[in-house]
Amino acid sequence: MPMATAVSTVSLSGATPTIKMPDESTIPDDERGVAIRRGLQIVNHTYKELPDNVGNQLNCTSCHLANGSEAYAAPWNGLSGIFPIYRSRAARINSLQERVNGCFERSMNGTALDLGSDDMNAIIAYMTWLSQDMPTGVIPEGRGFVKVDKTLEADTDNGKKLYTEKCSVCHGENGEGQYNDDGTYVFPAVAGDKWTAPTLSESDLLESGSD
């Protein structure tokens, strides 16, 4: 995937930055802190907070685990120092706000936020706070998802066995998911009528720090 030439995978010191959730005590006690906390609330309760923008009951952290700060689970750490970035899907430079809206429109099967809205600014404020220890322009180890070995051949019998052993306890025997009383996900559906297939390109997976 083409990327801006300023983006690097290592810092100038040679050390690879570590993806982790900063201590919440570092959230400032001011207007910016209010926005950061609002962003944290939105990403963990997206469907509840923004029902008009989410079409499938997912939350941002349904995919971006551990508040968006778990390596190889599409973390957001460092994104504020990487975007704007070229994305092959759009064949142009995209802002971080546009990338966030890509998730709302595709992964969440919903509608975009206004780019200058308070809620969008809160999400960006939270992602920027997550990135406080990340050098600008550096891609941290663990960005995106674990790469899938495309040379593997499908084995449905083994897949069924692994799903039963490791996945069904959360996602249900038939992939139907689990739900709260208000209709929000405890664990999202991975099959059946309530499952929405994501439309992710290879570039999405590579850029999925905000995916």
Side-chain angles (χ1 to χ4, degrees), residues 32 51 55 85 108 147 166 190 194 199:
R32 177 170 168 263
I85 195 171
M108 292 186 166
K147 291 185 177 180
K166 300 181 180 295
V190 295
K194 294 186 177 181
T199 55

Side-chain angles (χ1 to χ4, degrees), residues 3-12 17 82 135-140:
M3 289 187 177
T5 56
V7 175
S8 173
T9 56
V10 295
S11 67
L12 294 177
I82 296 172
T136 298
V138 172
I139 297 176

Side-chain angles (χ1 to χ4, degrees), residues 17 29 58 76 87 92 115 140:
D29 187 19
L58 286 172
W76 299 316
R87 300 191 64 246
R92 67 181 183 85
L115 292 177

